[in-house]
Amino acid sequence: MIAEAGWAGRVMSWLRVIAALIVVNLLFVAGTIVGLVVLGFAPAALAATACLTLLRDGELETGLVRTFAQAYRAQFWRANLIGVPFGVIAVLLALDTTVLPALNGPVAAALAGFTWVVGAGALLAFAAALTVAVRYDERPGPVLRYAAVLPFTSPVMSLALLVTLAVIGVALGLLPMLVPLVGFAVVLFVAGWFVDHRLAALDPDHPRAADRRGEPAPVTAASGR
């Protein structure tokens, strides 16, 4: 009976996580649309990361919808300021990909390689920026500086995260019906886990490190404390 209860408890836990990912994914899509995509993507990503961070920490007290809405409103302009450099990079990469088909030979290969490297670096930095912005109540400038450096000073984290995201991308490509259900939330959840784990190893004042010492956690954008 104990084994069965334990098994049932694990199943229920996984079902709750899956249900939470679906809700966060729908909220992310809705938040992006509400902000007309350009102004909505970064706040929606930050609010979703805040929800997923609290979910991982077991500190979600007010419900996913309310937590998302509060973080979305409170962090709207801060998130957009953080997202500006990444938006510019995304536009440049999109323009770059339109030029590639018109080129041939080594120039095209070199440009394609450069595009992949810049895209991977921007993805890692954006993931870091979201998690840092949620964990620490800092201005956009310090968040961006730290996020730009973290992937290069943490090569193991960066490589593991890129490989994991590639696997997720392949899985979502094979099962595209999962994208509107959990696609974005899974990516944010995994990216946040990797980056947050690295932050906890680097920062003795990280909320998880403080919890292990039995001390109060510092102020975070996610918790609003």
Side-chain angles (χ1 to χ4, degrees):
M1 293 297 294
I2 295 176
E4 292 180 359
W7 176 83
R10 286 192 294 272
V11 170
M12 291 303 297
S13 296
W14 277 106
L15 290 176
R16 284 193 292 269
V17 170
I18 293 172
L21 289 175
I22 293 174
V23 172
V24 171
N25 199 74
L26 295 175
L27 290 171
F28 170 80
V29 174
T32 301
I33 294 173
V34 167
L36 302 178
V37 180
V38 175
L39 292 177
F41 180 82
L46 185 59
T49 301
C51 290
L52 296 171
T53 299
L54 292 173
L55 187 66
R56 287 196 308 270
D57 291 350
E59 297 180 359
L60 190 65
E61 300 175 353
T62 59
L64 287 171
V65 176
R66 181 175 296 181
T67 300
F68 183 92
Q70 290 174 345
Y72 188 90
R73 289 195 300 267
Q75 303 295 326
F76 185 84
W77 293 114
R78 178 172 178 253
N80 273 301
L81 289 174
I82 292 172
V84 166
F86 303 103
V88 173
I89 293 173
V91 172
L92 293 176
L93 291 177
L95 293 175
D96 195 19
T97 56
T98 61
V99 173
L100 286 175
L103 301 177
N104 295 311
V107 175
L111 192 57
F114 177 76
T115 299
W116 279 100
V117 171
V118 173
L123 179 63
L124 291 171
F126 185 61
L130 290 175
T131 305
V132 171
V134 166
R135 280 300 190 190
Y136 305 103
D137 190 16
E138 296 285 350
R139 295 172 62 85
V143 170
L144 288 170
R145 287 194 294 270
Y146 193 85
V149 173
L150 184 63
F152 298 100
T153 58
S154 308
V156 175
M157 178 207 74
S158 298
L159 180 60
L161 177 54
L162 286 176
V163 171
T164 305
L165 291 180
V167 172
I168 293 174
V170 171
L172 293 176
L174 295 174
L175 299 170
M177 71 289 297
L178 294 180
V179 174
L181 286 177
V182 297
F184 300 106
V186 167
V187 170
L188 292 172
F189 183 89
V190 170
W193 186 89
F194 274 99
V195 176
D196 204 34
H197 183 75
R198 181 57 178 162
L199 291 177
L202 292 173
D203 181 13
D205 293 326
H206 187 277
R208 288 185 177 178
D211 289 342
R212 286 196 297 270
R213 295 193 302 267
E215 300 174 358
V219 175
T220 66
S223 63
R225 292 193 293 270

